[in-house]
Amino acid sequence: MKTNQEYLDLDKQLLWHPYTSMSKPSPHFLVEKASGCEITLSNGHTLIDGMSSWWSVIHGYNHPAMNNAIQAQLSQFSHVMFGGLTHKPAIELAEKLITITPTDLQRVFFSDSGSVSVEVALKMAIQYWNTQGQPNKQFFVTPKSGYHGDTFAAMSVCDPENGMHNLFTGALTKQLFISPPPTGLNEPVKEEYLNEIRTTFKENHQRIAGFIIEPLVQNAGGMRFYNPEYLNQIRTLCDEFDILLIFDEIATGFGRTGKLFATNHTHICPDIMCVGKALTGGYMTLAATLTNDKVALGISDNDGVFMHGPTFMGNPLACSAANASLSLLSEYNIPEKITQLETWMREALETCEQLEQVKEVRCLGGIGVVELKNALNLHEIQPKFVELGVWIRPFGKLIYLMPPYVISKKQIQILGKAIYQVASELPH
Ligand SMILES: *Cc1c(COP(=O)(O)O)cnc(C)c1O
């Protein structure tokens, strides 16, 4: 038997964690179990979860219905190849996804992670134009401050400065970047912004396959909320210049912004849409790329086939978890439940606005953001949150909450107090 400290020492020695140094690893906390909205560390310390484990565990940990669904599938089979074979969990999930997403989206491609679903979306767009006799349409337009994942094509459409472009110059496709959408959900639409897009489209449409954007909220690129009217206008511009519109709903999907999808805040439909993160309620890794008949059937013109096929495509355990998660989601009253969560977060976070250190507090659906004036040092801050009994992982200038939907008002209040205390102790 190893001691907890021995495990942690081995972790430091052997394991890479996200975006960390091997020679100067940041502190990590050993988890023993998790249940509801609480994570219990091996030292017995319990943390209230404000992160939903990167926005995915929307029903909380160790949910009986989720566990049962996965166990039931496990007793049938945990995996079969998706080439030549198919199964009910995948078919049922595809049917559900098509029902709950905007109507034009009628065809589903399953993959293992969000980044891969973005790769698939970009490949679909390029292949579509190829079969339509426009092989030069290979590039993408995207706003700065976006985040679409860590694989190569996904990276190429991430923010060029905060993203990883400087490390991979030359290896990354040079995409066309426009300014980030002006922030403010209710701010009037700026014509000059739309003109910038129009000019980019006009000058380059012969080589543009698609426009990719996170609808309503740019998430990992800065938790920036913007007016959904931009998306309506972008749809019109895309149609005018024969450019496919791709929505990355990996962070915003399944209720996070107060509607089932961020797209539901608009009156348009993208040609291709990516979902992931909360798709399985955070129980298994799974993502999906949905598209319309135009793209799906277009790719199939002239005996074309879509060229992608991951080993674990449509994994039955993951599909079963997703089916169970969507059933739970359909039992909540989505606008009401998330509006309630938004109200609680607003109440819990608004006192932070009085702090010298804080620039702005903003909330939307299940997202609560305290934006600081200066970037903070995560290594110093993380242990303070743990001491206060909460799991909150800030980045850059942002301390934010994206809690499980089942969190209580009291737990939100504790998270809010912890943020206030930690922010108030920052230098200013
Ligand atoms: C997290 C995220 C991704 C990448 O998903 P992974 O599962 O981490 O590969 C892509 N796009 C958005 C908007 C995300 O939030």
Side-chain angles (χ1 to χ4, degrees):
M1 267 283 278
K2 294 182 183 73
T3 65
N4 291 340
Q5 194 51 53
E6 282 166 343
Y7 275 114
L8 283 168
D9 290 344
L10 270 177
D11 178 272
K12 256 192 193 159
Q13 193 189 328
L14 303 178
L15 278 175
W16 240 302
H17 285 270
Y19 314 107
T20 52
S21 157
M22 263 290 170
S23 55
K24 289 184 198 141
S26 49
H28 283 84
F29 302 88
L30 192 62
V31 175
E32 202 59 38
K33 57 186 182 186
S35 175
C37 299
E38 290 187 349
I39 298 171
T40 303
L41 302 180
S42 296
N43 62 11
H45 198 61
T46 289
L47 311 176
I48 296 172
D49 178 28
M51 298 284 95
S52 308
S53 284
W54 271 337
W55 329 338
S56 64
V57 186
I58 53 177
H59 314 293
Y61 302 88
N62 227 331
H63 193 292
M66 294 296 304
N67 291 4
N68 287 343
I70 296 168
Q71 272 156 6
Q73 182 55 40
L74 188 62
S75 67
Q76 300 295 310
F77 54 98
S78 58
H79 185 63
V80 290
M81 64 190 282
F82 215 51
L85 298 173
T86 192
H87 48 83
K88 291 171 188 168
I91 299 164
E92 274 166 14
L93 179 56
E95 201 183 15
K96 281 195 181 121
L97 284 174
I98 278 166
T99 311
I100 63 175
T101 54
T103 40
D104 291 358
L105 302 169
Q106 290 292 324
R107 313 280 175 157
V108 184
F109 190 101
F110 287 123
S111 55
D112 326 60
S113 74
S115 301
V116 176
S117 77
V118 170
E119 299 283 327
V120 166
L122 302 180
K123 282 173 76 170
M124 277 180 182
I126 291 173
Q127 261 200 264
Y128 171 77
W129 290 116
N130 207 333
T131 49
Q132 301 310 303
Q134 300 217 51
N136 292 330
K137 284 169 93 72
Q138 299 243 353
F139 294 88
F140 294 88
V141 179
T142 192
K144 292 178 184 169
S145 296
Y147 177 79
H148 298 286
D150 289 350
T151 51
F152 270 89
M155 258 199 303
S156 78
V157 287
C158 287
D159 185 87
E161 273 138 49
N162 298 329
M164 297 154 274
H165 288 239
N166 55 342
L167 290 173
F168 301 101
T169 324
L172 286 179
T173 307
K174 296 231 173 340
Q175 311 290 13
L176 294 114
F177 290 94
I178 53 164
S179 312
T183 49
L185 286 166
N186 301 309
E187 287 297 307
V189 165
K190 291 198 170 69
E191 276 307 317
E192 68 217 84
Y193 185 67
L194 294 166
N195 286 338
E196 184 187 345
I197 300 177
R198 170 180 282 279
T199 307
T200 307
F201 282 6
K202 203 171 185 169
E203 288 169 2
N204 302 282
H205 65 95
Q206 284 103 337
R207 62 188 187 102
I208 300 173
F211 181 97
I212 180 165
I213 188 166
E214 294 155 274
L216 199 64
V217 184
Q218 291 186 299
N219 299 274
M223 298 294 171
R224 305 173 76 261
F225 307 159
Y226 63 89
N227 188 335
E229 178 56 23
Y230 284 112
L231 299 167
N232 296 328
Q233 302 281 342
I234 288 169
R235 173 79 266 181
T236 308
L237 288 170
C238 282
D239 289 342
E240 191 181 332
F241 289 98
D242 265 349
I243 289 166
L244 295 176
L245 180 58
I246 305 171
F247 280 179
D248 178 348
E249 287 250 17
I250 293 167
T252 50
F254 307 106
R256 186 54 74 181
T257 67
K259 300 198 186 218
L260 204 46
F261 294 95
T263 309
N264 300 135
H265 294 267
T266 72
H267 51 255
I268 52 102
C269 183
D271 296 290
I272 303 175
M273 180 165 128
C274 301
V275 294
K277 286 202 163 91
L279 171 60
T280 66
Y283 279 67
M284 305 281 299
T285 173
L286 184 71
T289 310
L290 287 90
T291 190
N292 54 22
D293 278 354
K294 169 178 134 175
V295 172
L297 299 176
I299 289 172
S300 312
D301 281 348
N302 307 318
D303 294 329
V305 294
F306 183 56
M307 292 305 282
H308 206 93
T311 306
F312 292 102
M313 185 167 180
N315 175 263
L317 289 174
C319 289
S320 301
N323 283 322
S325 174
L326 293 180
S327 295
L328 287 173
L329 206 54
S330 70
E331 287 165 18
Y332 307 156
N333 182 334
I334 269 304
E336 241 171 64
K337 195 173 181 77
I338 305 296
T339 307
Q340 166 118 92
L341 185 56
E342 178 176 331
T343 308
W344 292 345
M345 285 204 287
R346 235 178 248 290
E347 287 167 4
L349 296 177
E350 68 189 1
T351 51
C352 293
E353 249 166 6
Q354 304 154 3
L355 293 171
E356 268 298 307
Q357 293 88 341
V358 171
K359 182 174 168 221
E360 187 189 55
V361 173
R362 55 182 181 272
C363 297
L364 166 67
I367 311 171
V369 184
V370 176
E371 181 164 340
L372 304 168
K373 287 177 186 151
N374 302 307
L376 43 71
N377 181 334
L378 181 62
H379 294 206
E380 283 170 18
I381 292 302
Q382 189 74 87
K384 291 191 182 175
F385 279 121
V386 170
E387 251 169 62
L388 292 169
V390 298
W391 183 245
I392 293 170
R393 191 163 172 86
F395 66 93
K397 294 179 183 172
L398 305 175
I399 307 180
Y400 72 97
L401 297 177
M402 278 215 201
Y405 300 165
V406 295
I407 198 161
S408 69
K409 183 174 181 179
K410 178 128 198 296
Q411 287 171 318
I412 293 283
Q413 287 168 343
I414 296 169
L415 291 168
K417 280 199 186 112
I419 292 179
Y420 183 91
Q421 179 164 345
V422 167
S424 70
E425 288 167 6
L426 290 168
H428 60 90

